Amino acid sequence: MGIRFYNWYGHSEKLVLAGYCEKVDTYHVEPTYGYFELIDEKGNPIKEPGKTGEIVGTSFHNPGMPFIRYRTGDFAEYVGDHCHACGRRVPIIKNVRGRWSGDRIYNADGSFVTTTALNLHSDLYSAISGIQYVQEKKGELIVLIIKSPEYRMNHEKALYEHFQSKLKKDAIVRIEYTDKLRKLPNGKFSHIISSVKA
Ligand SMILES: [Zn+2]
């Protein structure tokens, strides 16, 4: 639709709020919301662009439960202390990775890939109208697929090869065709339905 995609980062603990500016797709940390730090494995602040660390926040907006230097478990890459495009002098981060481990698909040995890693090439996307991952056991993945009018028999082989190549060799992949994807118990849609514990 020619509309720019806009994203923001935040969490219910109300520690850090960051969003894209009007010019570039990097997260600008709002300094009046909470005190933002990005720390390395040793707990030292990251000041070097390109380095990734954990987001640590101190809330200014939650007097009832003021978390101080709370480790969010979320990770981001440090871009700099100001934005070249809009000129704001606030911490800039990108590539935020969530702590939420629910998008993991596990191999039998406990290693995992995220659903992002399973993204299909565009020619395969045209063959499907809907996709959802179901994992009930480590090393086993069920892929629910709604066929599109473009779907042809040879797509199935390509789909199997794609998913099998993203997981370990001993992983069992099963494609199931459906008319309707599953909802979570709360009625929401999720790209993955997993009953596997980390
Ligand atoms: Zn900016």
Side-chain angles (χ1 to χ4, degrees):
M1 296 170 74
I3 299 169
R4 197 177 148 223
F5 174 78
Y6 181 86
N7 204 8
W8 63 281
Y9 167 80
H11 37 233
S12 49
E13 293 93 335
K14 297 182 183 168
L15 303 156
V16 174
L17 183 68
Y20 291 179
C21 71
E22 66 277 24
K23 297 206 161 85
V24 284
D25 295 354
T26 51
Y27 297 86
H28 299 49
V29 179
E30 170 52 53
T32 62
Y33 188 87
Y35 186 73
F36 165 88
E37 294 172 87
L38 199 65
I39 59 161
D40 64 18
E41 320 77 54
K42 292 180 188 134
N44 299 317
I46 288 172
K47 294 288 168 203
E48 199 184 312
K51 275 189 91 177
T52 293
E54 185 174 355
I55 296 171
V56 171
T58 299
S59 173
F60 298 156
H61 271 264
N62 198 359
M65 177 59 77
F67 291 145
I68 296 165
R69 300 202 76 206
Y70 177 85
R71 290 179 61 170
T72 60
D74 296 334
F75 292 80
E77 182 182 328
Y78 187 67
V79 176
D81 62 359
H82 70 286
C83 175
H84 293 289
C86 71
R88 287 184 182 88
R89 303 205 70 86
V90 296
I92 310 290
I93 51 173
K94 65 177 185 181
N95 293 333
V96 177
R97 279 191 285 120
R99 73 197 115 161
W100 187 64
S101 61
D103 66 343
R104 291 175 178 182
I105 292 164
Y106 287 91
N107 290 297
D109 65 2
S111 62
F112 65 88
V113 296
T114 64
T115 52
T116 316
L118 299 185
N119 280 351
L120 302 170
H121 301 295
S122 51
D123 53 322
L124 279 174
Y125 269 122
S126 65
I128 60 173
S129 293
I131 186 164
Q132 191 174 39
Y133 304 108
V134 179
Q135 187 163 46
E136 287 155 357
K137 208 177 151 211
K138 283 182 185 174
E140 292 183 24
L141 174 67
I142 299 164
V143 185
L144 300 179
I145 281 176
I146 302 177
K147 296 177 186 176
S148 83
E150 261 80 350
Y151 180 89
R152 301 289 176 272
M153 283 295 282
N154 61 325
H155 284 124
E156 182 170 274
K157 187 168 171 273
L159 286 164
Y160 268 114
E161 281 171 3
H162 171 78
F163 295 119
Q164 204 75 56
S165 73
K166 302 290 177 186
L167 296 164
K168 289 270 167 80
K169 279 199 173 59
D170 62 352
I172 298 160
V173 178
R174 203 165 75 229
I175 292 172
E176 288 181 10
Y177 298 101
T178 179
D179 301 329
K180 220 167 128 197
L181 300 176
R182 298 182 197 172
K183 295 257 172 72
L184 294 171
N186 63 8
K188 286 185 180 171
F189 175 77
S190 173
H191 209 43
I192 173 166
I193 294 184
S194 177
S195 49
V196 171
K197 296 269 176 293

